[in-house]
Amino acid sequence: MKEILNSKYSRFFLVALLVNLLCSWFSIGFNQVDEHYQVLEFCNCKMGHSPASALPWEFHDKIRSSLLPTIAYLIGKAMTWWGIYNPFILAFLLRLIAGFSSWYIVSKLCILLAPKFKSRIGEKLFVLMALFLWFVPYLNVRFTSENISGILFLYGLYWVLKANEKSEFKLITFLCSGLILGLAFFTRFHLMFAVAGLVAWFIFIKKIELKYIFILAFSALIAVGLSVLLDYWFYGTWTFSPYNYYYANIVQHRAASFGVSPWWFYFSDFVMRAVPPLSAVLLIMFFAGIYKNLKNVFVWIIVPFVILHLLTGHKELRFFFPVVFIFIYVAALGFDTLLLNEKYQKIHKYVYVIFWIICLPLLVFITFTPAQVAVSYTKYLYDNTHTNNTPLFILRNEDYSMVGYKANFYNSPNVKNISLDSLSQVKDYIRTNQPKMAYYLDKDGTNMDGFFHGYKSKMVYCYYPAFVLKWDINKWQERSHIWKLYQLDKVD
């Protein structure tokens, strides 16, 4: 930590830390449903708060490492023991752990790698990109297998790169690095190709003694063995989740059933989702960085990782989250090569202006908005419902339900979820049961004034601010399907 605070880039590091902390707090919810179901719901089941029957097929096929759900479980149990358990605080603590861990290792790598840039402008641009590209803090705080495996990989990589920097290879260095890399692999199995690229670089480029490679492999196997023991405790039976993953997704083609994309999908999807023209420039600079630095360790790491994913049928951009920092570094190398040209040195100030014009508004927006808006409604119910069996009506779907599975992690113990097919059924239920107070989650823009006879209705929560809702020009709110939570109070 002292090295970070004394760095010439300490101001950037401290601002980045603040951004990561803010994003940890505000980015409630998930980027993709696996972030919820394969960590929080697994944890919820282990804590005894929900049945295993409510979990997705990945749990029953035992294809996921139990490392992340176990971390969540241990924190949740400690909170329960102290009498302060709250699922939203638990999820925040997990995001905070991910965000701080990512910030710390990225800062350390920036200090290690920045001096190697050939231009002062390229060096500074690399640090800014690594910390403040608009999607970086958002991805940093995700407590997912993709992000945590990437963080672990960077920690393991840092150990050996630091030793390489000093030309002081020690067995303890490779022992510790291997343990961390083994955990990274077991957290996200695809990382084995990045690890293989690192080992190949040591053998063919650095030509280090094979004893260090054997120590690296041996300690990685120790980490794998410990992970198997952890899976035994979590699943209640002996299993080897990497093989289960291979068998389910490669032999049985389960992953392909979720869709198959052409080999160029990642390039086109990145350009569209990472905000053009910035995304297109980053991609071009990434390939330029590879071309100009064929012996660089990061190139050896990311190329086999990319090739593997290009050859895989089922593709999602999140599969590249473990190597986001490496992608940024290689792209920065491409910028550095470009900036050595005198023509481009004259326009470098415009690069900074464009960088901030594009990134700053997006960075502010993504820092202060939920990753999943629906979770903010569940948080309101959890914090404000104090009477047992308070009905919550929602049409045509179970509340907190996603992709066909019921989500129990955020359930308020005082809320009774009632899914009905129409508003007339809601009226019939209220008429028959006469609850003193109930909630209705409206997704269709229905006017609730006087809708339920004998009940006073008022909107108690909406993610959008009140001044925005005052304007319903051309009924944009109905077309946008803005969720509104109404409280129904019986009139005596």
Side-chain angles (χ1 to χ4, degrees), residues 23-284:
C23 199
S24 298
W25 178 258
F26 287 101
S27 191
I28 65 173
F30 50 86
N31 175 69
Q32 199 268 354
V33 292
D34 284 359
E35 181 177 349
H36 177 87
Y37 278 104
Q38 294 173 19
V39 178
L40 299 181
E41 291 297 339
F42 277 30
C43 161
N44 207 50
C45 176
K46 193 65 178 178
M47 292 183 70
H49 295 168
S50 61
S53 59
L55 297 179
W57 68 274
E58 289 93 339
F59 176 84
H60 304 287
D61 283 20
K62 303 176 182 61
I63 71 168
R64 301 295 180 188
S65 164
S66 62
L67 178 61
L68 301 191
T70 298
I71 294 172
Y73 168 84
L74 293 174
I75 298 174
K77 276 296 186 181
M79 294 174 68
T80 301
W81 185 71
W82 288 324
I84 57 171
Y85 179 78
N86 180 301
F88 297 94
I89 299 300
L90 172 56
F92 161 67
L93 291 175
L94 296 175
R95 293 193 300 271
L96 186 64
I97 291 170
F100 181 83
S101 301
S102 181
W103 167 82
Y104 182 79
I105 190 58
V106 167
S107 299
K108 297 284 281 187
L109 282 166
C110 283
I111 294 171
L112 179 67
L113 299 172
K116 302 180 186 304
F117 280 75
K118 298 175 182 178
S119 69
R120 183 184 60 82
I121 302 167
E123 175 185 338
K124 189 175 181 180
L125 187 61
F126 159 61
V127 175
L128 288 173
M129 288 168 52
L131 298 173
F132 298 114
L133 269 179
W134 68 269
F135 51 79
V136 166
Y138 174 82
L139 297 184
N140 283 350
V141 304
R142 307 266 67 89
F143 196 78
T144 62
S145 63
E146 294 87 4
N147 187 41
I148 301 301
S149 65
I151 293 171
L152 289 170
F153 181 82
L154 291 180
Y155 274 92
L157 178 63
Y158 178 80
W159 274 73
V160 291
L161 290 185
K162 190 73 172 177
N164 178 64
E165 182 76 9
K166 297 179 178 180
S167 297
E168 295 179 356
F169 293 119
K170 298 179 181 179
L171 293 180
I172 187 63
T173 300
F174 284 84
L175 180 65
C176 294
S177 179
L179 286 170
I180 299 173
L181 293 175
L183 290 175
F185 156 73
F186 216 88
T187 305
R188 183 74 182 171
F189 309 132
H190 303 73
L191 267 178
M192 64 181 294
F193 291 89
V195 175
L198 173 62
V199 171
W201 181 81
F202 270 119
I203 294 174
F204 297 109
I205 302 299
K206 291 301 297 181
K207 302 185 186 324
I208 67 171
E209 297 178 57
L210 287 180
K211 67 179 181 180
Y212 295 112
I213 302 300
F214 286 128
I215 289 295
L216 192 75
F218 176 73
S219 56
L221 287 175
I222 292 175
V224 169
L226 293 174
S227 298
V228 170
L229 290 175
L230 191 63
D231 280 358
Y232 172 76
W233 170 80
F234 189 86
Y235 287 112
T237 185
W238 288 109
T239 188
F240 191 59
S241 51
Y243 174 77
N244 298 341
Y245 183 92
Y246 163 80
Y247 186 79
N249 289 318
I250 304 301
V251 178
Q252 296 184 322
H253 306 290
R254 293 291 294 269
S257 67
F258 296 102
V260 175
S261 302
W263 67 268
W264 63 82
F265 166 84
Y266 287 114
F267 305 125
S268 59
D269 198 45
F270 175 78
V271 169
M272 295 306 298
R273 295 179 63 183
V275 185
L278 176 63
S279 54
V281 173
L282 284 172
L283 195 58
I284 292 170

Side-chain angles (χ1 to χ4, degrees), residues 262-444:
W263 67 268
W264 63 82
F265 166 84
Y266 287 114
F267 305 125
S268 59
D269 198 45
F270 175 78
V271 169
M272 295 306 298
R273 295 179 63 183
V275 185
L278 176 63
S279 54
V281 173
L282 284 172
L283 195 58
I284 292 170
M285 290 298 101
F286 171 70
F287 286 117
I290 291 177
Y291 178 71
K292 292 293 185 178
N293 299 273
L294 294 178
K295 292 186 177 181
N296 189 287
V297 60
F298 287 92
V299 172
W300 278 67
I301 289 169
I302 201 168
V303 167
F305 188 88
V306 170
I307 292 174
L308 162 72
H309 285 82
L310 294 181
L311 296 176
T312 303
H314 179 62
K315 297 177 176 64
E316 296 181 44
L317 195 58
R318 66 186 174 97
F319 295 164
F320 273 79
F321 289 177
V323 294
V324 163
F325 173 81
I326 299 174
F327 169 82
I328 291 172
Y329 173 70
V330 174
L333 291 177
F335 278 113
D336 193 47
T337 301
L338 185 67
L339 290 167
L340 291 177
N341 188 311
E342 291 184 3
K343 295 180 180 178
Y344 294 102
Q345 286 184 6
K346 296 178 181 179
I347 64 171
H348 78 272
K349 60 182 179 180
Y350 301 108
V351 174
Y352 282 117
V353 173
I354 294 172
F355 175 88
W356 288 114
I357 288 176
I358 295 177
C359 282
L360 189 58
L362 290 170
L363 185 64
V364 172
F365 175 79
I366 205 165
T367 298
F368 291 99
T369 55
Q372 227 291 335
V373 173
V375 177
S376 62
Y377 291 81
T378 69
K379 186 176 187 305
Y380 176 88
L381 290 168
Y382 194 95
D383 292 339
N384 293 278
T385 306
H386 308 293
T387 304
N388 285 336
N389 293 319
T390 300
L392 169 66
F393 301 107
I394 184 169
L395 300 185
R396 299 177 296 277
N397 199 359
E398 281 281 357
D399 194 23
Y400 321 139
S401 177
M402 299 162 280
V403 297
Y405 298 104
K406 187 173 181 179
N408 295 300
F409 179 75
Y410 291 122
N411 266 344
S412 167
N414 296 319
V415 172
K416 179 182 180 182
N417 305 321
I418 301 174
S419 177
L420 299 171
D421 294 326
S422 65
L423 273 172
S424 61
Q425 290 185 3
V426 176
K427 283 185 175 181
D428 292 340
Y429 184 98
I430 289 178
R431 188 183 307 114
T432 302
N433 295 277
Q434 295 288 306
K436 186 176 181 180
M437 193 266 281
Y439 290 105
Y440 173 70
L441 184 60
D442 175 57
K443 298 182 179 181
D444 302 318

